[in-house]
Amino acid sequence: MDKSEIRVGGLGGQGVILCGMIIGKAASIYDGKHATLIQSFGPEARGSACSAQVSVADEPIGYPYVKNPDVLIVMSPDAYTQFAPQLRPGGVLLYENELIAVDDKLPAGVKAFGIPATRLAEELGRRLVLNIVMTGFFAGVTGLVSFEAAENAVKSSVPRGTEDLNLRAFRKGYEYGRELLAKAS
Amino acid sequence: MKLEGFPQNLTLKDGTQVVVKPLEAKDAPALLEFYRALPEEDRLYLRDDVTKPEWLERFVAHVQHNEVVSLIALHGNKVAGEASLYRALHGWTAHVGEIRISVAPALRRSGLGSVLARDLVKLAIGLGVEKMIVQMVESQLSARRLFEKLGFRQEAVLRAHVKDIHGIKRDLVIASNDVSHLWEAMEALVSDFSPTVG
Ligand SMILES: CC(C)(COP(=O)(O)OP(=O)(O)OC[C@H]1O[C@@H](n2cnc3c(N)ncnc32)[C@H](O)[C@@H]1OP(=O)(O)O)[C@@H](O)C(=O)NCCC(=O)NCCS
């Protein structure tokens, strides 16, 4: 069975869970696949580690836990240190490159793609949409969810009135990802 | 900055067709003409002398630097209305935007002002603006009505603050619309905290 495992890691307040939720929603509701989501929160609201585990597959998923993700999305140095060693060899690392410095301890063959998501979010008008920039980046680089599905999932997941900015954040991340890919190949 | 969803083709209540779009440098001469044709009475309430080419040059530069977002409505190749959002990109009011709007007298009361203002409020929210204000003279009844319908409420009155065309002092009304609750909802959504999940 073709199954992709994704882990999203960062700090409380960065929107890690929402990022995982949107990916799962895009895959399951809008792309017609199966998806599971497991969320782990830190002990406090702000600044503590939290992560989401998302599995996407064409068939129903029996085991929802993600041990060695195919794709790791990280938004904080701690999440990078904690989760990067678990990446499947040959997997994909997507990281916030103004917050995280990638070292040489990555598993063999991992392809790393960085994006200044916090700065891009600030330039769009709100730091708060950093997770949506990352979500777009994920869709752009990996293609694991379609552009339309992810866009619909963003639109239906964010509060009313904030759709415009969130969609712009999504597209920004997506385009940034597509451009990096084009350069890399 | 590229604004999405434009140009918009509109048919006004009186059947007039207009196109709403963000101001570009090439529209500058038509905008100047529009402002020059506004009745003096309306121009008096504007803070700048909008009939001067120097003003226009500065205005276009502000738009290009994203300090001002400006929407125009074109009727043929003439400007029929203009709405702008002024933002302080730095400092303690960086979350606030001020809206100004004018419609050509011949086309008023056909809904154009409402469309321009509504589009601008949407754009402002999209840009992360948390609070919008608009300054009006007590006697500008249509402006007051228009903004009230968009959720603006009178927040302050500066007594005898402006002089009209006859030298009569009038009150200046500042109405505001605080949209920060939209962002509070987003903030709650990204807090990644659940008291029930450990
Ligand atoms: C304010 C202004 C932009 C409105 O433009 P407009 O295209 O006429 O606006 P609309 O047609 O959308 O009308 C807005 C509302 O005001 C109402 N209105 C119009 N004239 C009115 C009047 N004299 N008294 C009371 N209400 C009036 C309209 O009926 C409409 O409400 P409705 O939809 O419930 O009927 C225009 O009058 C103008 O340019 N005024 C001079 C500049 C100004 O006052 N700017 C505002 C401060 S920045």
Side-chain angles (χ1 to χ4, degrees):
Chain A
M1 177 174 96
D2 198 14
K3 178 172 154 192
S4 303
E5 300 188 337
I6 303 137
R7 187 184 273 280
V8 192
L11 300 174
Q14 284 185 314
V16 165
I17 308 292
L18 184 62
C19 174
M21 206 182 84
I22 290 173
I23 293 170
K25 201 167 172 179
S28 61
I29 302 181
Y30 299 104
D31 269 344
K33 296 185 183 175
H34 293 268
T36 56
L37 170 71
I38 293 177
Q39 352 184 351
S40 10
F41 296 98
E44 293 153 33
R46 214 156 254 288
S48 61
C50 72
S51 80
Q53 305 167 47
V54 189
S55 298
V56 176
D58 294 331
E59 316 268 314
I61 296 161
Y63 183 77
Y65 295 92
V66 172
K67 253 186 145 165
N68 299 112
D70 303 288
V71 182
L72 173 64
I73 304 171
V74 279
M75 309 186 202
S76 75
D78 285 352
Y80 171 74
T81 313
Q82 187 182 352
F83 299 122
Q86 300 167 5
L87 252 172
R88 181 180 58 73
V92 173
L93 171 73
L94 304 172
Y95 66 103
E96 208 303 352
N97 66 8
E98 287 185 354
L99 299 174
I100 300 165
V102 168
D103 53 27
D104 50 14
K105 297 197 198 77
L106 289 175
V110 164
K111 291 183 278 303
F113 298 90
I115 181 171
T118 312
R119 180 161 52 80
L120 293 177
E122 272 166 2
E123 284 169 9
L124 286 167
R126 288 218 155 226
R127 195 196 183 97
L128 221 51
V129 298
L130 124 88
N131 61 332
I132 307 297
V133 175
M134 289 306 285
T135 307
F137 191 50
F138 165 82
V141 172
T142 68
L144 283 175
V145 290
S146 68
F147 177 85
E148 293 73 23
E151 198 180 46
N152 280 326
V154 169
K155 213 185 293 176
S156 64
S157 304
V158 300
R160 254 194 81 191
T162 68
E163 295 96 338
D164 281 10
L165 178 53
N166 276 304
L167 286 175
R168 275 193 295 127
F170 170 76
R171 285 178 211 135
K172 188 92 198 176
Y174 184 87
E175 280 154 23
Y176 198 97
R178 301 301 296 176
E179 277 165 29
L180 269 193
L181 259 194
K183 268 186 224 148
S185 61
Chain B
M1 184 175 38
K2 170 106 180 65
L3 300 173
E4 275 161 50
F6 298 100
Q8 260 173 29
N9 295 303
L10 289 178
T11 306
L12 302 179
K13 280 182 212 159
D14 64 358
T16 309
Q17 309 249 336
V18 297
V19 178
V20 174
K21 57 169 225 125
L23 178 80
E24 294 167 81
K26 68 171 166 40
D27 305 313
L31 185 64
L32 190 65
E33 209 168 296
F34 164 76
Y35 273 123
R36 284 188 171 157
L38 270 191
E40 195 188 344
E41 190 181 349
D42 290 343
R43 273 191 272 125
L44 211 54
Y45 299 127
L46 301 170
R47 252 175 293 171
D48 305 289
D49 185 351
V50 293
T51 59
K52 292 221 170 84
E54 301 90 86
W55 168 80
L56 187 70
E57 223 167 88
R58 263 182 288 131
F59 186 73
V60 172
H62 285 314
V63 170
Q64 280 160 349
H65 292 116
N66 299 331
E67 288 151 346
V68 176
V69 178
S70 165
L71 291 179
I72 54 169
L74 285 175
H75 175 49
N77 50 15
K78 284 207 157 98
V79 172
E82 196 268 336
S84 32
L85 173 78
Y86 290 74
R87 305 161 70 198
L89 295 179
H90 298 284
W92 60 6
T93 55
H95 63 294
V96 179
E98 180 177 344
I99 288 182
R100 297 181 205 166
I101 175 169
S102 327
V103 168
L107 287 170
R108 285 183 193 168
R109 306 208 66 164
S110 312
L112 181 55
S114 300
V115 169
L116 287 173
R118 189 169 6 93
D119 280 356
L120 204 57
V121 165
K122 261 191 83 187
L123 284 177
I125 294 171
L127 292 167
V129 170
E130 290 175 46
K131 179 177 178 179
M132 280 160 258
I133 61 165
V134 55
Q135 302 194 25
M136 299 167 289
V137 180
E138 43 165 343
S139 54
Q140 285 173 314
L141 291 179
S142 46
R144 295 183 63 174
R145 166 121 184 88
L146 184 162
F147 283 105
E148 191 158 299
K149 284 205 297 188
L150 289 174
F152 285 70
R153 295 294 173 262
Q154 179 171 316
E155 179 164 339
V157 179
L158 304 183
R159 301 278 169 220
H161 196 73
V162 297
K163 266 191 198 169
D164 73 11
I165 196 163
H166 310 293
I168 299 170
K169 287 186 183 158
R170 296 200 176 270
D171 294 350
L172 183 74
V173 174
I174 300 175
S176 68
N177 188 359
D178 191 323
V179 291
S180 53
H181 58 278
L182 297 175
W183 292 102
E184 280 157 20
M186 181 75 190
E187 213 158 301
L189 204 57
V190 302
S191 69
D192 294 330
F193 170 65
S194 160
T196 54
V197 186

Coordinates of all heavy atoms in Angstrom, one line a residue, chain A residues 11 13 15-17 41 45 50 125-126 131 157 159-162 165-166 168 171, chain B residues 4 122 125-128 130 182-183 185-187 189-194 197-198:
Chain A
L11 N 6.7 24.9 18.0 CA 6.3 25.3 19.3 C 4.8 25.7 19.3 O 4.3 26.1 18.3 CB 7.1 26.6 19.7 CG 8.6 26.4 19.7 CD1 9.3 27.8 19.9 CD2 9.0 25.5 20.8
G13 N 1.7 27.9 19.5 CA 1.6 29.2 19.0 C 2.0 29.4 17.6 O 1.8 30.4 16.9
G15 N 1.1 27.1 15.3 CA 0.1 26.6 14.4 C 0.4 25.2 13.8 O 0.0 24.9 12.7
V16 N 1.2 24.5 14.6 CA 1.7 23.1 14.1 C 0.5 22.2 13.8 O 0.4 21.5 12.8 CB 2.6 22.5 15.2 CG1 2.8 21.0 14.9 CG2 3.9 23.3 15.2
I17 N -0.4 22.2 14.8 CA -1.6 21.2 14.7 C -2.4 21.6 13.5 O -2.9 20.8 12.7 CB -2.4 21.2 16.0 CG1 -1.5 21.0 17.2 CG2 -3.5 20.2 15.8 CD1 -0.9 19.6 17.3
F41 N 0.3 17.8 22.3 CA 0.5 19.1 22.8 C 1.5 19.1 23.9 O 1.7 18.2 24.6 CB -0.8 19.7 23.3 CG -1.9 19.8 22.3 CD1 -2.8 18.8 22.2 CD2 -1.9 20.9 21.5 CE1 -3.8 18.9 21.2 CE2 -2.9 21.0 20.5 CZ -3.9 20.1 20.4
A45 N 0.4 26.5 26.9 CA -0.1 27.0 25.7 C 1.0 27.5 24.7 O 1.0 27.1 23.6 CB -1.0 28.2 26.0
C50 N 5.3 21.0 20.4 CA 4.1 20.2 20.1 C 4.3 19.7 18.7 O 5.1 20.2 17.9 CB 2.9 21.0 20.2 SG 2.7 22.3 18.9
G125 N 1.6 40.4 6.2 CA 0.8 41.2 7.1 C 0.6 40.6 8.5 O 0.3 41.3 9.5
R126 N 0.9 39.3 8.7 CA 0.8 38.7 10.0 C 1.7 37.5 10.2 O 1.6 36.5 9.5 CB -0.7 38.2 10.2 CG -1.6 39.3 10.4 CD -2.6 39.0 11.4 NE -3.1 40.3 11.9 CZ -3.3 40.5 13.2 NH1 -3.0 39.6 14.0 NH2 -3.7 41.7 13.6
N131 N 2.4 29.2 9.7 CA 2.0 27.7 9.5 C 1.4 27.5 8.2 O 1.5 26.5 7.6 CB 1.2 27.2 10.7 CG -0.1 27.9 10.8 OD1 -0.2 29.1 10.4 ND2 -1.2 27.3 11.2
S157 N -10.7 25.9 6.9 CA -10.2 25.7 8.2 C -9.9 26.9 9.0 O -9.8 26.9 10.2 CB -8.9 24.9 8.1 OG -9.0 23.7 7.4
P159 N -10.5 31.0 10.4 CA -11.7 31.8 10.8 C -12.2 32.6 9.6 O -11.5 33.1 8.8 CB -11.2 32.6 11.9 CG -10.0 31.9 12.4 CD -9.4 31.2 11.2
R160 N -13.5 32.8 9.6 CA -14.1 33.7 8.6 C -13.5 35.1 8.7 O -13.3 35.6 9.8 CB -15.6 33.8 8.9 CG -16.5 33.0 8.0 CD -18.0 33.4 8.1 NE -18.2 34.7 7.4 CZ -19.4 35.3 7.5 NH1 -20.3 34.9 8.3 NH2 -19.5 36.4 6.8
G161 N -13.3 35.6 7.6 CA -12.7 37.0 7.5 C -11.2 37.0 7.4 O -10.6 38.0 7.0
T162 N -10.6 35.8 7.7 CA -9.2 35.7 7.6 C -8.7 34.9 6.3 O -7.6 34.7 6.1 CB -8.5 35.1 8.8 OG1 -8.9 33.7 8.9 CG2 -9.0 35.8 10.1
L165 N -6.0 36.6 3.6 CA -4.6 36.6 4.0 C -4.0 35.2 4.1 O -2.9 34.9 3.7 CB -4.4 37.3 5.4 CG -3.0 37.3 5.9 CD1 -2.0 37.9 4.9 CD2 -3.0 38.2 7.2
N166 N -4.8 34.3 4.6 CA -4.4 32.9 4.7 C -4.2 32.3 3.4 O -3.2 31.5 3.2 CB -5.4 32.1 5.5 CG -5.1 32.2 7.0 OD1 -4.0 31.9 7.5 ND2 -6.2 32.6 7.8
R168 N -3.4 33.9 0.7 CA -2.1 34.5 0.1 C -0.9 33.8 0.7 O 0.1 33.6 0.0 CB -2.1 36.0 0.3 CG -2.9 36.7 -0.8 CD -2.7 38.2 -0.8 NE -3.2 38.8 0.4 CZ -2.5 39.5 1.2 NH1 -1.3 39.8 1.0 NH2 -3.1 40.0 2.3
R171 N -0.4 30.4 -0.9 CA 0.1 30.5 -2.3 C 1.6 30.9 -2.3 O 2.4 30.5 -3.1 CB -0.7 31.5 -3.1 CG -2.0 31.0 -3.5 CD -2.8 31.9 -4.3 NE -4.2 31.6 -4.1 CZ -5.1 32.5 -3.8 NH1 -4.8 33.8 -3.8 NH2 -6.4 32.2 -3.5
Chain B
E4 N -5.4 40.5 -5.5 CA -6.1 39.6 -6.3 C -7.6 39.9 -6.4 O -8.2 40.6 -5.6 CB -5.9 38.2 -5.7 CG -4.6 37.6 -6.2 CD -4.1 36.4 -5.4 OE1 -4.9 35.6 -5.0 OE2 -2.9 36.5 -5.0
K122 N -12.3 44.6 2.9 CA -11.8 43.2 2.7 C -10.3 43.1 2.5 O -9.6 42.3 3.1 CB -12.6 42.6 1.5 CG -13.7 41.7 1.9 CD -14.3 40.9 0.7 CE -13.5 39.7 0.5 NZ -13.9 39.0 -0.7
I125 N -8.4 43.8 5.8 CA -8.4 42.6 6.7 C -7.4 41.6 6.1 O -6.6 41.1 6.9 CB -9.8 42.0 6.8 CG1 -10.8 43.0 7.5 CG2 -9.8 40.7 7.5 CD1 -12.2 42.5 7.4
G126 N -7.4 41.5 4.8 CA -6.4 40.6 4.2 C -5.0 41.0 4.4 O -4.1 40.2 4.4
L127 N -4.8 42.3 4.6 CA -3.4 42.8 4.9 C -3.0 42.7 6.3 O -2.0 43.2 6.7 CB -3.3 44.2 4.3 CG -3.4 44.3 2.8 CD1 -3.5 45.8 2.4 CD2 -2.1 43.7 2.2
G128 N -4.0 42.3 7.2 CA -3.7 42.2 8.6 C -4.0 43.4 9.4 O -3.7 43.5 10.6
E130 N -6.0 45.6 11.8 CA -6.9 45.2 12.9 C -8.0 46.2 13.2 O -9.0 45.9 13.7 CB -6.1 45.0 14.2 CG -5.2 43.8 14.1 CD -4.3 43.7 15.4 OE1 -4.9 43.8 16.5 OE2 -3.1 43.5 15.2
L182 N -11.3 38.9 14.6 CA -11.1 37.9 13.5 C -9.7 37.2 13.7 O -9.6 36.0 13.6 CB -11.0 38.5 12.1 CG -12.3 39.2 11.7 CD1 -12.0 39.9 10.3 CD2 -13.4 38.1 11.5
W183 N -8.8 38.0 14.1 CA -7.4 37.5 14.3 C -7.3 36.8 15.6 O -6.4 35.9 15.8 CB -6.4 38.6 14.1 CG -6.5 39.0 12.6 CD1 -7.1 40.0 12.1 CD2 -6.0 38.2 11.6 NE1 -7.1 40.0 10.7 CE2 -6.4 38.8 10.4 CE3 -5.3 37.0 11.5 CZ2 -6.1 38.3 9.1 CZ3 -5.0 36.5 10.2 CH2 -5.4 37.1 9.1
A185 N -9.5 34.9 16.8 CA -9.9 33.5 16.4 C -8.8 32.7 15.8 O -8.6 31.5 16.1 CB -11.1 33.6 15.5
M186 N -8.0 33.4 14.9 CA -6.9 32.7 14.3 C -5.8 32.4 15.3 O -5.3 31.3 15.3 CB -6.4 33.6 13.2 CG -5.2 33.0 12.4 SD -5.7 31.7 11.2 CE -4.0 31.1 10.7
E187 N -5.6 33.3 16.2 CA -4.6 33.1 17.3 C -5.0 31.9 18.1 O -4.1 31.1 18.5 CB -4.5 34.3 18.1 CG -3.1 34.6 18.6 CD -2.9 36.1 19.0 OE1 -3.1 36.9 18.1 OE2 -2.6 36.3 20.1
L189 N -6.7 29.4 17.2 CA -6.5 28.2 16.3 C -5.1 27.7 16.2 O -4.8 26.6 16.1 CB -7.1 28.6 14.9 CG -7.6 27.4 14.1 CD1 -8.7 26.7 14.8 CD2 -8.1 28.0 12.8
V190 N -4.1 28.7 16.3 CA -2.7 28.2 16.2 C -2.1 28.1 17.5 O -0.9 27.9 17.6 CB -1.9 29.2 15.3 CG1 -2.5 29.3 13.9 CG2 -1.8 30.5 15.9
S191 N -2.8 28.2 18.6 CA -2.2 28.2 19.9 C -1.6 26.8 20.3 O -0.8 26.6 21.1 CB -3.1 28.6 21.0 OG -4.2 27.7 21.2
D192 N -2.1 25.8 19.6 CA -1.6 24.4 19.8 C -1.7 24.0 21.2 O -0.9 23.4 21.8 CB -0.2 24.3 19.3 CG 0.0 24.5 17.8 OD1 -1.0 24.1 17.1 OD2 1.0 24.9 17.4
F193 N -2.8 24.3 21.8 CA -3.0 24.0 23.2 C -4.4 23.4 23.4 O -5.4 24.0 23.0 CB -2.8 25.3 24.1 CG -3.2 25.1 25.5 CD1 -2.5 24.2 26.3 CD2 -4.3 25.8 26.0 CE1 -2.8 24.0 27.6 CE2 -4.6 25.6 27.4 CZ -3.9 24.8 28.2
S194 N -4.4 22.3 24.1 CA -5.7 21.8 24.4 C -5.7 21.3 25.9 O -4.9 20.5 26.2 CB -6.1 20.6 23.5 OG -7.1 19.8 24.1
V197 N -6.2 17.5 26.0 CA -5.3 16.5 25.5 C -3.9 16.8 26.1 O -3.4 17.9 26.0 CB -5.2 16.7 23.9 CG1 -4.4 15.6 23.3 CG2 -6.6 16.7 23.3
G198 N -3.3 15.7 26.6 CA -2.0 15.9 27.3 C -0.8 15.7 26.5 O -0.9 15.1 25.4

